[in-house]
Amino acid sequence: QVQLVESGGGLVQSGGSLRLSCAASGRTFSSNAMGWFRQAPGKEREFVGWIDWSGGITLYADSVKGRFTISRDNAKNTVYLQMNSLKPEDTAVYYCARAASPGIPTMPVQIRWFDYWGQGTQVTVSS
């Protein structure tokens, strides 16, 4: 069984930064790609970013490209989402998820390509 636990969310002013963490249990973490998604109230869950097993390849949604950075530390079984220049429209619950396949996903990235999900962490950006 794989468990994912997000942390690091909170309230930040527009233009500020936050770093989210996703701690994973299970020995297979280092062999799996990981993704970040977010869901705002009344909206569908949307793709934010993806990182391959080694951390050498990343993909981002256009809405966060240049502002958000995904990284991982396989020794700590943790993946990170560094969020800079935050905007009020970034307000959402952020989820990390384990990719079911090691291959590089094609856009648009589908939720069904991920098999384990964390419980989410709230990020609120005030204007």
Tab-separated table of all heavy atoms in Angstrom, residues 19 22-24 29 72-80:
chain	number	residue	atom	x	y	z
A	19	ARG	N	6.295	26.356	-0.415
A	19	ARG	CA	6.825	25.085	-0.887
A	19	ARG	C	6.001	23.961	-0.285
A	19	ARG	O	5.936	23.823	0.940
A	19	ARG	CB	8.293	24.895	-0.524
A	19	ARG	CG	8.892	23.655	-1.204
A	19	ARG	CD	10.365	23.465	-0.937
A	19	ARG	NE	10.626	22.843	0.351
A	19	ARG	CZ	11.719	22.152	0.640
A	19	ARG	NH1	12.663	21.986	-0.289
A	19	ARG	NH2	11.898	21.628	1.841
A	22	CYS	N	5.414	16.394	-0.405
A	22	CYS	CA	4.598	15.181	-0.481
A	22	CYS	C	5.486	14.018	-0.062
A	22	CYS	O	6.414	13.643	-0.785
A	22	CYS	CB	4.077	14.981	-1.894
A	22	CYS	SG	3.245	13.399	-2.172
A	23	ALA	N	5.204	13.492	1.125
A	23	ALA	CA	5.983	12.374	1.651
A	23	ALA	C	5.294	11.069	1.289
A	23	ALA	O	4.094	10.910	1.512
A	23	ALA	CB	6.116	12.501	3.156
A	24	ALA	N	6.056	10.147	0.743
A	24	ALA	CA	5.503	8.883	0.283
A	24	ALA	C	6.026	7.714	1.103
A	24	ALA	O	7.188	7.698	1.510
A	24	ALA	CB	5.851	8.667	-1.184
A	29	PHE	N	8.935	4.205	-4.300
A	29	PHE	CA	8.820	5.630	-4.618
A	29	PHE	C	9.834	6.047	-5.658
A	29	PHE	O	9.504	6.746	-6.607
A	29	PHE	CB	9.007	6.455	-3.342
A	29	PHE	CG	9.070	7.938	-3.603
A	29	PHE	CD1	7.904	8.664	-3.795
A	29	PHE	CD2	10.289	8.610	-3.669
A	29	PHE	CE1	7.945	10.027	-4.041
A	29	PHE	CE2	10.339	9.971	-3.917
A	29	PHE	CZ	9.162	10.678	-4.088
A	72	ARG	N	12.424	16.436	-6.475
A	72	ARG	CA	12.226	15.277	-5.611
A	72	ARG	C	13.535	14.877	-4.968
A	72	ARG	O	14.619	15.140	-5.505
A	72	ARG	CB	11.638	14.113	-6.401
A	72	ARG	CG	12.523	13.536	-7.479
A	72	ARG	CD	11.749	12.534	-8.344
A	72	ARG	NE	11.282	11.382	-7.580
A	72	ARG	CZ	10.327	10.560	-7.997
A	72	ARG	NH1	9.705	10.791	-9.147
A	72	ARG	NH2	9.968	9.520	-7.259
A	73	ASP	N	13.404	14.234	-3.808
A	73	ASP	CA	14.536	13.682	-3.091
A	73	ASP	C	14.195	12.221	-2.823
A	73	ASP	O	13.434	11.920	-1.897
A	73	ASP	CB	14.771	14.453	-1.789
A	73	ASP	CG	16.014	13.995	-1.050
A	73	ASP	OD1	16.475	12.866	-1.288
A	73	ASP	OD2	16.514	14.758	-0.215
A	74	ASN	N	14.727	11.333	-3.634
A	74	ASN	CA	14.359	9.921	-3.507
A	74	ASN	C	14.893	9.309	-2.212
A	74	ASN	O	14.323	8.340	-1.714
A	74	ASN	CB	14.861	9.141	-4.716
A	74	ASN	CG	14.024	9.425	-5.961
A	74	ASN	OD1	12.902	9.908	-5.873
A	74	ASN	ND2	14.589	9.141	-7.121
A	75	ALA	N	15.951	9.853	-1.680
A	75	ALA	CA	16.470	9.352	-0.407
A	75	ALA	C	15.501	9.633	0.734
A	75	ALA	O	15.466	8.909	1.732
A	75	ALA	CB	17.822	9.972	-0.106
A	76	LYS	N	14.697	10.682	0.578
A	76	LYS	CA	13.716	11.048	1.594
A	76	LYS	C	12.294	10.666	1.195
A	76	LYS	O	11.348	11.007	1.910
A	76	LYS	CB	13.781	12.555	1.862
A	76	LYS	CG	15.089	13.026	2.459
A	76	LYS	CD	15.060	14.519	2.742
A	76	LYS	CE	16.361	14.977	3.376
A	76	LYS	NZ	16.354	16.439	3.654
A	77	ASN	N	12.147	9.995	0.058
A	77	ASN	CA	10.808	9.623	-0.428
A	77	ASN	C	9.868	10.822	-0.471
A	77	ASN	O	8.700	10.740	-0.062
A	77	ASN	CB	10.193	8.521	0.454
A	77	ASN	CG	10.693	7.138	0.090
A	77	ASN	OD1	11.656	6.990	-0.652
A	77	ASN	ND2	10.065	6.120	0.638
A	78	THR	N	10.369	11.934	-0.966
A	78	THR	CA	9.592	13.173	-0.937
A	78	THR	C	9.686	13.890	-2.282
A	78	THR	O	10.762	13.950	-2.888
A	78	THR	CB	10.084	14.101	0.185
A	78	THR	OG1	9.981	13.415	1.445
A	78	THR	CG2	9.240	15.370	0.245
A	79	VAL	N	8.557	14.423	-2.705
A	79	VAL	CA	8.515	15.280	-3.880
A	79	VAL	C	8.028	16.658	-3.427
A	79	VAL	O	7.224	16.772	-2.501
A	79	VAL	CB	7.595	14.678	-4.973
A	79	VAL	CG1	6.166	14.558	-4.497
A	79	VAL	CG2	7.676	15.472	-6.251
A	80	TYR	N	8.554	17.684	-4.083
A	80	TYR	CA	8.282	19.062	-3.674
A	80	TYR	C	7.635	19.850	-4.814
A	80	TYR	O	7.832	19.545	-5.993
A	80	TYR	CB	9.581	19.762	-3.275
A	80	TYR	CG	10.346	19.059	-2.188
A	80	TYR	CD1	11.407	18.209	-2.501
A	80	TYR	CD2	10.007	19.217	-0.849
A	80	TYR	CE1	12.114	17.544	-1.510
A	80	TYR	CE2	10.706	18.565	0.144
A	80	TYR	CZ	11.753	17.726	-0.189
A	80	TYR	OH	12.440	17.072	0.803
